[in-house]
Amino acid sequence: MAHYPSYYKMSQKLFFIILKLFSFLVLFFLILPLLIVIPLSFNAEPYFSFTQSMLNLDPQAYSLKWYQAFFTTPIWLTAIKNSLFVAVISTLLATVLGTLAALGLNANTMPFKRFIMALFLSPMIVPLIITAAGMFFFYAKFNLVGSYLGLILAHTSLGIPFVIITVCAALKSFDQSLYNAARLCGATPLKAFFTVTFVLIKPGVLSGALFAFVTSLDEIVLVLFLAGPEQRTIPRQMFSGLREQINPTILAVSSLLTLTTLLLLITILVVRHKEKAHVNHE
């Protein structure tokens, strides 16, 4: 019995080592396709496989022409414009509405808080195929299918939960007495919010906005159901290219989207790190 504590610690340590090893294997399995797609996007030949010249590291076997095609082909330029337009507008709407919802949910007088929170977070829980089908039948009654407005509202509904989660997390460390002090000093509710509350919860708002932007930029299911020919986004064009005409430009687009998403996620981590440092400093 004297050796039981040491045996338990060794077993626990071994368990965490195995868990970390398994996590790294899963991460490698998820990253492996990227390690293949990115080099293939520089293939000078119109193939989705490595050529012998690429394996021999011949400089002539590599080219940037597929990236050039992405930024010069009219159909891809239209997809870029549509994706950025929908993502930016839906992110702005999701940030404003999500922040207001988080402020309301943070109030102690809010009735049915758990039910309302679950309702707001339902787009993250319900499968997208069900959400898209429901929106399609609902939009059909108001002629919103195949319109920019319908697509923006759909993407906004997907981004709001991320904003609510990050802003609610930021509000947990917010001292309400600071807002009350600003009101006692004569500030209007709107001025007190922007000069006190918003300044302190800004990292959470920015994190939620970046999550909403990434979600909108990569969304394909809602676009397939709700978008028309004029609302063709980058993921929709990639999907169409795989079905109609296989072109290595898709590999370049996939690499750029991966890089963009990675940079945005790094930005989110930096913002959250600054938020934690600010809270610890306070």
Side-chain angles (χ1 to χ4, degrees):
M1 294 298 292
H3 298 284
Y4 177 75
S6 60
Y7 175 78
Y8 175 76
K9 291 182 179 180
M10 290 179 60
S11 301
Q12 189 179 34
K13 186 177 181 180
L14 180 62
F15 171 77
F16 282 111
I17 292 175
I18 295 175
L19 182 62
K20 289 182 179 180
L21 180 61
F22 178 76
S23 301
F24 280 117
L25 289 175
V26 172
L27 182 63
F28 178 75
F29 177 77
L30 295 174
I31 294 178
L32 184 60
L34 301 179
L35 301 178
I36 297 175
V37 168
I38 293 177
L40 281 177
S41 65
F42 296 98
N43 191 355
E45 302 294 332
Y47 304 134
F48 277 71
S49 60
F50 290 99
T51 62
Q52 188 63 39
S53 300
M54 293 184 69
L55 296 177
N56 294 334
L57 301 180
D58 184 3
Q60 296 183 354
Y62 297 87
S63 175
L64 293 173
K65 64 180 182 180
W66 307 120
Y67 290 90
Q68 182 181 2
F70 174 62
F71 290 107
T72 56
T73 306
I75 192 169
W76 283 110
L77 291 176
T78 302
I80 295 174
K81 182 188 69 175
N82 289 335
S83 291
L84 292 179
F85 175 73
V86 173
V88 170
I89 300 300
S90 63
T91 298
L92 291 175
L93 290 174
T95 303
V96 173
L97 297 177
T99 302
L100 293 175
L103 291 172
L105 291 170
N106 189 63
N108 295 327
T109 58
M110 170 65 70
F112 310 108
K113 185 180 298 186
R114 291 185 178 181
F115 173 76
I116 297 175
M117 174 66 81
L119 189 63
F120 277 130
L121 300 184
S122 60
M124 299 178 63
I125 303 171
V126 179
L128 272 177
I129 187 69
I130 297 177
T131 302
M135 285 186 174
F136 176 81
F137 289 109
F138 178 77
Y139 280 9
K141 298 180 180 179
F142 301 96
N143 295 323
L144 290 176
V145 178
S147 66
Y148 283 104
L149 178 60
L151 195 59
I152 289 172
L153 292 177
H155 282 219
T156 300
S157 67
L158 293 183
I160 287 177
F162 294 99
V163 180
I164 291 177
I165 291 174
T166 56
V167 175
C168 282
L171 286 171
K172 287 183 178 180
S173 59
F174 173 71
D175 189 356
Q176 187 65 29
S177 61
L178 297 175
Y179 174 84
N180 296 333
R183 293 284 288 122
L184 290 174
C185 291
T188 62
L190 189 62
K191 186 176 181 179
F193 169 75
F194 281 107
T195 57
V196 178
T197 307
F198 180 75
V199 173
L200 296 177
I201 67 172
K202 184 168 61 175
V205 176
L206 292 178
S207 297
L210 289 174
F211 274 118
F213 183 81
V214 171
T215 302
S216 175
L217 198 64
D218 292 339
E219 177 54 39
I220 177 61
V221 179
L222 289 178
V223 177
L224 291 176
F225 273 82
L226 304 176
E230 297 180 356
Q231 294 83 42
R232 189 178 291 255
T233 60
I234 293 176
R236 172 67 181 274
Q237 181 59 34
M238 293 175 65
F239 181 81
S240 301
L242 290 173
R243 293 189 59 188
E244 300 169 4
Q245 183 181 3
I246 297 179
N247 190 302
T249 307
I250 298 174
L251 300 177
V253 178
S254 178
S255 301
L256 290 174
L257 284 178
T258 301
L259 179 61
T260 302
T261 304
L262 180 62
L263 292 176
L264 289 175
L265 290 177
I266 292 175
T267 304
I268 292 173
L269 291 176
V270 172
V271 171
R272 296 185 68 180
H273 177 73
K274 290 183 178 181
E275 179 184 3
K276 291 182 179 179
H278 177 75
V279 172
N280 293 335
H281 177 72
E282 293 292 332

